[in-house]
Amino acid sequence: MSGSLHRRLRCCLLGIMTLLAMQFVILVLVVRLGLIDELISRRLLLQQQQLSLHQHEWQDFVTHTPDQPHAFYQYNRQLSDNLAAVRLLPTTRHESCNRRRYALPHASLAKLSVVISFHNEARSMLLRTILTLISRTPQEYLHELIVIDDGSEDVGLLASLERHLTAAYAERGRPRLIFSRNLNRKGLIWSRNEGARLASGHYLLFLDSHCEVNDGWLEPLLERLTLNSRLAVSPLLDPIEPETLSYMAGNELLKGGFDWSLHFHWLPRVLADKETLAQPYTSPVFAGGILMISRESFRKLHGFNPHLEIWGGESIELAIKLWLCGGQIEIVPCSRIGHIFRAAHAFEFPPQYDQEQELEQELQQLGSAQATYLRNSKIIAESWLDEYKYLFYALKPSAREIPLNLRPVSTYDPAQIKAELKCQPFDWLMRHVSPELRLQHANLSALGTLRNAGRCLHVAGTVPQLQLLLTSCHSLQVTQWHLHHESGQLSTEQRLCLAVDAAAKQPQLSLEPCRAGQTGQHWLRRNTQLQHARTHLCLDNPLKDQLLLSRCRPHAVSQSFQFALEMEAQS
Ligand code: UDP
Ligand code: MN
């Protein structure tokens, strides 16, 4: 009896162990052969098919895209037309972002209004931006979508889009759809302010018209905004390549910044001890123009500066204003939005100045895009940079000549905003938010254009055909020089250093790549003279537009060179 019980027990045990072993073998096989991946991609494929089921409904809308050359859009429009309206995107965020649960407010307290303003966007691209947004945003939070056509040439686009979208989303009643068309182009800045004016949600998201939001984009942003009402946030932007439209992973080690010319730059950052790539991080400015903010904060800040025209500088201005007036900016890497970064502007800028206006010739000759950006930058410098605006003018001397004659477009007045919100001076931003700005001139003794007798020292051409000459100080491309405090090097932005070829019979001026410890690149500042340390000769312009080296003669006008900005009293 006990013997047979024993046998049965052994049998049972053996059975269980065989079963476990088989399960283990199957598990190993599944993992090794990539069967899990296969299963996942099957599921994704199924989703993709479901999403593209509705694709044919949009064909009618897309096929009415007017034919335009490639330069009109600056991306592969044909490919865009042939891709699914909503396509699967690779998961680019850190895997811990997928595992986390986000602390979200009740949907009735966090209604989102998305504002998209577009000018001359391809129909398929705009549609992909919108449909992807609707399908990847929790329905209960997506309160409304405000689409503003900023005077696009495709005049039938907006009405057709309205018809299709209204039909598609009428049944579920969400999101609320608002369409508005500027018969004449009014620019991105005006249009985004108008979008915000039409909005009724708690939060605003400003989105470009060539974006694809990735899965789970909203929750990480919303969580941050509800934790801290002073905050405005950007997602981490994943680049979409303009020709292949392939979706790539953005870089978590970059933040948004700007230089003294008020140009946007990505700045490198380093992780703090124990900080992970998934954690939100502060950033001096937003990631490009894509940002989310509470409608109330936006209102308190008086929105985007309406004196800025068409495109450019508005999100830098909002960022400076936000930081100085009690706000904060974060980039949230668990939230990913794809954006097409184009190599050049696809759109024209309306002319800034009419021919009759009396202006410096160089300003008249600026391209409209440059003229607009320069004017917008000058407004920002005058509004927020306090005494540091002289650094801006040092780098952009022609901005001084720009007449501002601000039209009374609104009551927008930076001085009033500063008083209302008790804003800090600009210096505060340099100390607490953007130390990079300080570093940019910390070890310089002078910078900007270098002028002698009304003409500026300029490097023309490219390596190896470089030419050193004197030119008009107002041309936008005129060389900006940096005189380095310790090394005495006089360098251009391309890291070329003014040097003296002492081996030649007569010491000759030359340009060479800047190298540390190169004594031939060392200059001394003697009042307004520039004396070459090794040869003791001075930079000279004895005849019109001729540069050479000669014996230093105190008070010689031809040896007097002024930088746009001198940081130190000269010996
Ligand atoms: N845009 C607009 N009106 C204009 C210029 C641009 O509505 O006069 C739109 C444009 O279609 C895009 C957004 O503003 O959706 C941002 O412009 P763009 O993508 O060219 O800027 P970038 O991403 O290069 O900074
Ligand atoms: Mn864009």
Side-chain angles (χ1 to χ4, degrees):
M1 182 70 190
S2 79
S4 82
L5 189 68
H6 210 90
R7 225 177 299 123
R8 262 196 236 159
L9 265 175
R10 220 170 37 201
C11 253
C12 229
L13 216 67
L14 214 70
I16 289 172
M17 279 173 64
T18 320
L19 216 70
L20 280 174
M22 274 168 65
Q23 276 185 353
F24 179 72
V25 170
I26 289 173
L27 197 73
V28 168
L29 275 176
V30 163
V31 172
R32 291 294 301 265
L33 298 177
L35 290 177
I36 285 186
D37 285 352
E38 172 98 20
L39 284 175
I40 291 175
S41 59
R42 277 235 181 106
R43 187 179 59 80
L44 293 181
L45 203 71
L46 225 97
Q47 268 183 21
Q48 169 110 326
Q49 280 162 358
Q50 278 166 5
L51 291 171
S52 53
L53 270 185
H54 304 287
Q55 177 82 351
H56 68 277
E57 294 171 16
W58 296 104
Q59 277 310 327
D60 170 57
F61 173 71
V62 171
T63 46
H64 284 85
T65 308
D67 241 355
Q68 294 286 2
H70 180 274
F72 191 79
Y73 300 116
Q74 302 264 358
Y75 51 74
N76 192 337
R77 198 265 289 176
Q78 270 84 13
L79 180 59
S80 169
D81 289 1
N82 290 313
L83 286 177
V86 180
R87 56 179 181 153
L88 289 173
L89 301 176
T91 305
T92 46
R93 63 183 185 175
H94 197 267
E95 41 104 16
S96 66
C97 306
N98 300 327
R99 281 187 270 112
R100 271 206 49 201
R101 285 181 70 79
Y102 295 90
L104 297 180
H106 190 267
S108 63
L109 302 172
K111 295 180 185 170
L112 173 67
S113 303
V114 179
V115 176
I116 300 176
S117 165
F118 69 95
H119 176 73
N120 289 349
E121 197 67 76
R123 288 183 173 214
S124 57
M125 189 59 77
L126 175 64
L127 187 69
R128 180 168 303 107
T129 304
I130 293 175
L131 294 188
T132 304
L133 174 82
I134 296 179
S135 75
R136 295 212 172 105
T137 310
Q139 197 172 327
E140 61 279 22
Y141 289 102
L142 187 58
H143 168 63
E144 67 193 353
L145 176 62
I146 302 164
V147 185
I148 301 193
D149 174 359
D150 185 21
S152 299
E153 286 174 35
D154 183 356
V155 288
L157 184 161
L158 196 74
S160 173
L161 182 71
E162 177 168 5
R163 237 185 357 264
H164 281 90
L165 281 179
T166 314
Y169 294 102
E171 222 168 86
R172 63 181 214 175
R174 261 172 179 274
R176 202 173 109 165
L177 296 167
I178 299 176
F179 299 88
S180 171
R181 177 169 155 81
N182 303 335
L183 289 181
N184 295 313
R185 174 148 171 229
K186 295 195 164 182
L188 165 72
I189 298 151
W190 187 93
S191 306
R192 283 192 168 173
N193 276 338
E194 174 65 4
R197 195 186 64 79
L198 296 171
S200 58
H202 300 95
Y203 293 101
L204 298 168
L205 171 79
F206 295 102
L207 193 62
D208 279 11
S209 43
H210 34 254
C211 288
E212 284 169 88
V213 299
N214 209 328
D215 280 325
W217 73 275
L218 176 67
E219 293 83 344
L221 296 182
L222 201 51
E223 182 187 65
R224 297 305 293 173
L225 289 175
T226 21
L227 279 174
N228 179 354
S229 63
R230 291 169 171 270
L231 201 63
V233 289
S234 276
L236 197 112
L237 294 186
D238 283 333
I240 302 175
E241 208 284 318
E243 292 315 312
T244 59
L245 299 184
S246 48
Y247 188 102
M248 290 164 304
N251 187 342
E252 297 98 334
L253 292 174
L254 295 178
K255 58 184 181 176
F258 59 92
D259 60 21
W260 288 112
S261 317
L262 294 176
H263 280 287
F264 176 86
H265 289 282
W266 294 107
L267 300 174
R269 68 177 190 115
V270 276
L271 290 183
D273 202 22
K274 298 211 176 106
E275 186 181 356
T276 72
L277 288 175
Q279 269 166 262
Y281 53 93
T282 56
S283 177
V285 303
F286 300 102
I290 298 175
L291 62 109
M292 187 162 154
I293 186 169
S294 85
R295 191 160 62 90
E296 182 56 14
S297 304
F298 191 73
R299 187 194 62 77
K300 278 194 187 150
L301 292 165
H302 297 237
F304 292 114
N305 184 337
H307 295 299
L308 306 180
E309 283 176 355
I310 300 291
W311 178 101
E314 73 289 343
S315 60
I316 292 183
E317 206 242 13
L318 186 72
I320 296 176
K321 189 162 59 169
L322 192 72
W323 277 112
L324 294 183
C325 311
Q328 292 165 18
I329 296 175
E330 277 182 3
I331 294 180
V332 185
C334 279
S335 170
R336 298 297 181 120
I337 296 188
H339 169 258
I340 299 191
F341 288 91
R342 295 183 281 203
H345 289 299
F347 42 81
E348 299 282 326
F349 282 68
Q352 267 286 318
Y353 310 111
D354 49 43
Q355 294 300 316
E356 285 96 71
Q357 227 166 327
E358 269 187 40
L359 285 175
E360 288 260 350
Q361 204 190 357
E362 281 76 14
L363 274 183
Q364 284 277 15
Q365 284 166 356
L366 280 186
S368 317
Q370 289 174 323
T372 307
Y373 200 90
L374 199 59
R375 181 183 175 279
N376 287 355
S377 306
K378 174 170 180 165
I379 294 174
I380 301 173
E382 287 291 338
S383 310
W384 300 101
L385 262 49
D386 304 334
E387 67 274 21
Y388 294 95
K389 70 181 179 190
Y390 297 111
L391 279 167
F392 167 76
Y393 286 120
L395 296 171
K396 296 282 167 203
S398 41
R400 285 184 190 279
E401 319 300 329
I402 296 179
L404 282 188
N405 45 16
L406 300 177
R407 284 172 285 117
V409 281
S410 74
T411 53
Y412 190 93
D413 173 9
Q416 183 203 333
I417 299 175
K418 283 178 204 177
E420 237 171 62
L421 302 176
K422 301 193 176 58
C423 307
Q424 300 280 355
F426 190 75
D427 190 65
W428 183 92
L429 190 122
M430 292 168 62
R431 273 185 287 121
H432 298 280
V433 184
S434 202
E436 298 83 6
L437 282 174
R438 211 172 259 285
L439 288 180
Q440 278 179 28
H441 67 267
N443 42 24
L444 297 181
S445 27
L447 85 157
T449 50
L450 187 52
R451 183 188 291 249
N452 173 268
R455 305 275 285 167
C456 278
L457 192 64
H458 179 63
V459 178
T462 47
V463 182
Q465 243 103 48
L466 291 169
Q467 229 190 327
L468 189 67
L469 40 90
L470 283 154
T471 186
S472 156
C473 296
H474 292 293
S475 92
L476 252 201
Q477 280 75 31
V478 68
T479 303
Q480 309 288 331
W481 297 90
H482 287 174
L483 181 61
H484 297 262
H485 180 71
E486 266 170 35
S487 67
Q489 284 174 318
L490 183 56
S491 67
T492 69
E493 279 171 339
Q494 286 71 41
R495 309 262 326 122
L496 290 169
C497 272
L498 189 67
V500 173
D501 181 1
K505 230 191 274 162
Q506 282 251 301
Q508 300 258 331
L509 282 167
S510 67
L511 286 159
E512 25 180 82
C514 298
R515 271 189 298 268
Q518 204 76 3
T519 53
Q521 298 179 354
H522 190 155
W523 294 84
L524 302 165
R525 191 79 171 127
R526 303 262 184 246
N527 293 318
T528 58
Q529 290 179 318
L530 278 163
Q531 185 184 38
H532 186 247
R534 206 159 62 187
T535 59
H536 304 292
L537 295 171
C538 272
L539 189 64
D540 201 349
N541 173 28
L543 298 168
K544 190 175 181 323
D545 291 358
Q546 200 181 36
L547 278 163
L548 43 81
L549 289 156
S550 62
R551 199 172 43 78
C552 297
R553 300 181 308 280
H555 314 301
V557 179
S558 65
Q559 291 183 351
S560 171
F561 285 83
Q562 290 94 33
F563 286 93
L565 202 76
E566 302 262 354
M567 310 293 189
E568 293 168 1
Q570 301 308 319
S571 58

